[in-house]
Amino acid sequence: MASIKGRPLHRRLALPLAAVTVAAIGALTAPAAAHAGDVNPTVVGGTRAAQGEFPWIVRLSMGCDGALYTKQVVLTAAHCVNGTGSNSSITVTAGVVDLQSSSATKVRSTYVYRAPGYPNNNDDWALIKLASPVNLPTLPAATTSAYNKGTFTIMGWGATYEGGPQQRYLQKAQAPFVTDATCGSAYGADFEGPKMLCAGYMSTGGVDTCQGDSGGPMVQRDGAGNWIQVGIVSWGNGCARPGYPGVYTEVSTFASAISSAASQLP
Ligand code: ARG
């Protein structure tokens, strides 16, 4: 896990929580330092989200996150699912920041669509159809690259440091855009600019998504002040390390493929 260079993307992607072995966790390095002033470091370097702040985020039972693309379809990462087809094995927890809340909405999957360009073409996105619609706000996907810059908001129930435990309460943080040129020099041939969007503090590290955040949304405010999804948590070298930004699926690149797949789900 410490070194990822030279490996194909599907080998490099950290596994969803359920697949992480004790041995793999043991191999991970020490916690990254949180940014000064954060008393409760989370995601890595974040804080607890308020109930209702990100009403469209969901937790997936295999140990990933996702977002409500429609009331009955979740957008997540391809590396969180096994393939395309009927699938009732995933439980989706929605509507809460506290995963143990008795007011959580829980709904099963009925079908999974994994991007056909995964794993060979680095297309790290997938859709999960729910057994019934949930009555929560949805998160629109960015359809242009106009918002692939500036400061992003990242979130999830994943680890708050490399090798750390999953979280009960949803965590959030902000991380700045990292250019394709900079991200490409960090990751070399593993980085594919048009399909990947990077975020983090290059020189200090300290703020990032981490294992178990995969599939969750990276968001930005659009011109009207509404949240739109610009990224899907995908991969990185460790978590929050200086010189290694988080890498996210570039949603705008796949927006039309996502839209057409969502409209054709059985
Ligand atoms: N692939 C990881 C997962 O399955 C997410 C890794 C994100 N890493 C990062 N440094 N931003 O949960």
Side-chain angles (χ1 to χ4, degrees):
M1 196 79 72
S3 176
I4 56 164
K5 290 219 168 146
R7 296 216 238 143
L9 179 71
H10 61 284
R11 297 299 314 272
R12 242 186 16 238
L13 293 168
L15 295 166
L17 173 68
V20 174
T21 64
V22 172
I25 289 171
L28 292 167
T29 58
H35 269 195
D38 287 333
V39 287
N40 183 24
T42 54
V43 163
V44 176
T47 56
R48 210 182 266 189
Q51 176 61 36
E53 189 175 3
F54 308 113
W56 20 255
I57 192 170
V58 301
R59 180 66 171 174
L60 306 177
S61 53
M62 85 294 276
C64 281
D65 299 340
L68 290 169
Y69 181 75
T70 71
K71 290 186 189 298
Q72 204 168 352
V73 177
V74 168
L75 178 60
T76 187
H79 80 268
C80 289
V81 301
N82 294 326
T84 294
S86 295
N87 186 329
S88 57
S89 74
I90 303 166
T91 299
V92 176
T93 301
V96 288
V97 294
D98 175 3
L99 294 178
Q100 291 174 26
S101 167
S102 58
S103 48
T105 297
K106 300 217 184 220
V107 55
R108 302 285 287 196
S109 60
T110 58
Y111 189 88
V112 169
Y113 179 88
R114 190 177 70 177
Y118 180 88
N120 290 340
N121 301 119
N122 290 341
D123 298 358
D124 196 11
W125 63 271
L127 296 172
I128 299 172
K129 177 88 176 275
L130 307 179
S132 56
V134 294
N135 189 20
L136 287 164
T138 59
L139 178 62
T143 56
T144 78
S145 57
Y147 303 104
N148 299 346
K149 59 183 165 73
T151 301
F152 303 124
T153 297
I154 54 178
M155 63 198 71
W157 286 275
T160 62
Y161 57 90
E162 289 184 27
Q166 299 294 293
Q167 299 298 300
R168 170 176 173 176
Y169 297 97
L170 179 65
Q171 312 295 334
K172 63 168 180 175
Q174 292 197 322
F177 169 69
V178 172
T179 65
D180 281 0
T182 299
C183 205
S185 47
Y187 288 119
D190 292 338
F191 177 71
E192 200 176 337
K195 295 184 174 185
M196 300 173 189
L197 180 60
C198 301
Y201 292 92
M202 279 300 290
S203 55
T204 61
V207 179
D208 198 2
T209 47
C210 199
Q211 269 56 49
D213 291 322
S214 271
M218 179 166 79
V219 298
Q220 169 79 286
R221 300 270 191 192
D222 71 6
N226 300 311
W227 291 118
I228 54 166
Q229 182 168 1
V230 296
I232 300 168
V233 178
S234 184
W235 61 279
N237 180 17
C239 305
R241 298 184 188 186
Y244 292 100
V247 186
Y248 299 78
T249 308
E250 191 161 321
V251 167
S252 59
T253 295
F254 298 106
S256 57
I258 292 168
S259 163
S260 99
S263 68
Q264 290 171 58
L265 290 175

